[in-house]
Amino acid sequence: MRLGLEHILDLNGYDHILFVLTLCLAYPAREWKKVAWLLTAFTAGHSISLGVATLNLFNYPQAVVEASIAGTILLTAVFNLAQPPPANRMVRSESSWWRYPLALVFGLIHGLGFSSYLRSLLGAEESLAEPLIGFNIGLEAGQLVIVLIWFILLNFIVQLTPVKMRSFFTGASGFAAGMALALLLQRL
């Protein structure tokens, strides 16, 4: 569990934090249950590919995976910009069911990014199931901590500044897209 928490909260691996924040940007704090389910879909995908790759059942070029991770952040930011929030950030009017399978697929990609490191750590283990479950529980807990901190900061932004939420959402999604594009170009 500790390794999963450290993985998601490590500022050197900010791409994972950037992805989680970009993913939850589309939701107001009052829809925290939807965000929790969205993160669970991401973790499920992450768990599947992490397990498959850690068991050496799937081989892949690491450079392609790292570029693909940056691509998932970029696509999420672009989807946010293509479907801007309503003027009243307290209500999300349109259906966003498609974000759940997308989070699952993007989780598959992100899981591949950490598998080689995890494989080297768990190489001597007799059973990989328990460490993988613990890692993913830690990952999920860390993601929820990030989102909790985000929603607290978002509340302060709304309460203490005159910024319009639509402008903030667009700016934050644009910033995430720019960061993701820079990561993508760096990893190509």
Side-chain angles (χ1 to χ4, degrees):
M1 270 182 66
R2 183 180 51 81
L3 188 58
L5 267 171
E6 289 172 356
H7 171 62
I8 185 66
L9 298 176
D10 181 9
L11 295 179
N12 291 322
Y14 67 91
D15 56 343
H16 204 120
I17 295 170
L18 182 62
F19 176 77
V20 168
L21 291 176
T22 305
L23 194 62
C24 73
L25 256 178
Y27 296 90
R30 69 181 306 161
E31 293 188 358
W32 64 269
K33 288 180 185 175
K34 290 181 181 178
V35 173
W37 281 111
L38 194 64
L39 293 176
T40 299
F42 174 76
T43 301
H46 194 278
S47 301
I48 292 166
S49 63
L50 189 58
V52 167
T54 301
L55 294 170
N56 286 320
L57 300 175
F58 179 71
N59 293 319
Y60 52 89
Q62 192 64 28
V64 171
V65 171
E66 291 300 321
S68 297
I69 289 171
T72 65
I73 301 166
L74 180 59
L75 284 173
T76 303
V78 167
F79 291 147
N80 285 349
L81 290 167
Q83 189 176 25
N88 179 357
R89 207 40 192 136
M90 301 312 289
V91 178
R92 182 126 184 110
S93 58
E94 76 279 342
S95 172
S96 55
W97 65 267
W98 55 271
R99 288 182 180 268
Y100 298 99
L102 191 68
L104 179 83
V105 170
F106 286 177
L108 291 169
I109 295 168
H110 282 249
L112 293 175
F114 194 68
S115 62
S116 61
Y117 176 68
L118 189 61
R119 188 180 320 123
S120 69
L121 291 176
L122 300 177
E125 295 282 335
E126 283 185 30
S127 169
L128 294 179
E130 188 175 321
L132 280 173
I133 291 168
F135 175 83
N136 286 300
I137 290 170
L139 179 77
E140 182 80 357
Q143 290 175 156
L144 292 172
V145 167
I146 290 167
V147 170
L148 176 65
I149 292 168
W150 167 251
F151 282 146
I152 290 169
L153 288 173
L154 184 61
N155 187 49
F156 281 122
I157 291 168
V158 169
Q159 299 298 320
L160 302 175
T161 67
V163 70
K164 294 184 180 194
M165 287 315 297
R166 185 174 289 228
S167 299
F168 177 79
F169 172 82
T170 302
S173 293
F175 175 78
M179 291 283 296
L181 186 58
L183 275 172
L184 183 60
L185 293 174
Q186 177 186 20
R187 293 174 176 179
L188 287 178

